[in-house]
Amino acid sequence: GESVGLHLPTLSVQEGDNSIINCAYSNSASDYFIWYKQESGKGPQFIIDIRSNMDKRQGQRVTVLLNKTVKHLSLQIAATQPGDSAVYFCAENIDGVGGSYIPTFGRGTSLIVHP
Amino acid sequence: DAGVIQSPRHEVTEMGQEVTLRCKPISGHDYLFWYRQTMMRGLELLIYFNNNVPIDDSGMPEDRFSAKMPNASFSTLKIQPSEPRDSAVYFCASKQRHNEKLFFGSGTQLSVL
């Protein structure tokens, strides 16, 4: 079956560096993607989303890039801070019953920020 | 709003016992999801409800698992009988109909000995 996956399970960076977390998806019909951040002991939290009619979307210190040709997403975090240490998930949103999207999560990438 | 509230935060039980996990979604949210998180499989969707009605339970691992949503402000996930392989963190999440952003609770850490 089709699924969402991640290239790197763990990413270690120095504080102040930029971080790039990658995600590959295989369902060509997917047209909506969300990045979530999960801190230790907590549930995932929404960071940023992007629809397939966009190539790039920016938030506060975060940018998501979408390459539909190779079915690839990336999350860029500028000037990474210790508080950014967490597991990051990309979620592929699949059209569910009733017209709402149902998210399917990849396994996640652990980001470790060293002071 | 206090967000999605799950209880208990931690549950330790012995194999064969019944386990009930509880969730209170955010008021006004139409959808409720139950996920299970393990290192091996990541976040797995178990079941989701729309307006208190179960829509897709294909992710429920087996008949030992059941979920209910008797009203818009409460849902339970029950495991009977529990087994050690059920040990995981169980998350509840909710969302509004036309907003795809999921709001997660803090999860229930279940350990079955």
Side-chain angles (χ1 to χ4, degrees), chain B residues 52-88:
Chain B
N52 314 338
V53 177
I55 302 300
D56 185 353
D57 65 353
S58 60
M60 297 285 261
E62 45 197 277
D63 292 345
R64 297 185 297 107
F65 286 69
S66 62
K68 294 181 180 179
M69 192 165 184
N71 56 62
S73 59
F74 184 65
S75 177
T76 60
L77 178 67
K78 185 176 293 186
I79 308 172
Q80 167 62 22
S82 59
E83 297 182 3
R85 60 189 167 129
D86 301 331
S87 298

Side-chain angles (χ1 to χ4, degrees), chain A residues 92-112:
Chain A
E92 175 181 16
N93 283 262
I94 300 169
D95 199 4
V97 175
S100 189
Y101 287 109
I102 305 304
T104 300
F105 289 81
R107 291 192 62 235
T109 292
S110 176
L111 175 65
I112 300 172

Side-chain angles (χ1 to χ4, degrees), chain A:
Chain A
E2 295 180 305
S3 63
V4 175
L6 294 177
H7 292 268
L8 299 173
T10 303
L11 177 64
S12 292
V13 300
Q14 289 296 127
E15 182 178 359
D17 288 350
N18 295 332
S19 301
I20 299 176
I21 301 171
N22 297 302
C23 175
Y25 67 95
S26 56
N27 189 339
S28 58
S30 298
D31 62 359
Y32 182 63
F33 304 89
I34 299 179
W35 281 99
Y36 287 85
K37 172 186 180 184
Q38 185 178 21
E39 296 176 276
S40 180
K42 297 182 180 180
Q45 288 184 299
F46 172 92
I47 302 174
I48 191 168
D49 59 358
I50 189 167
R51 296 194 181 274
S52 61
N53 60 354
M54 303 171 69
D55 297 322
K56 178 180 180 179
R57 189 164 190 210
Q58 287 185 293
Q60 188 175 21
R61 284 201 307 118
V62 295
T63 300
V64 57
L65 300 178
L66 175 60
N67 186 330
K68 293 180 289 293
T69 302
V70 295
K71 298 177 190 171
H72 184 268
L73 278 164
S74 68
L75 177 70
Q76 300 179 0
I77 305 174
T80 312
Q81 302 168 1
D84 295 326
S85 294
V87 176
Y88 290 81
F89 295 92
C90 71
E92 175 181 16
N93 283 262
I94 300 169
D95 199 4
V97 175
S100 189
Y101 287 109
I102 305 304
T104 300
F105 289 81
R107 291 192 62 235
T109 292
S110 176
L111 175 65
I112 300 172
V113 182
H114 301 281

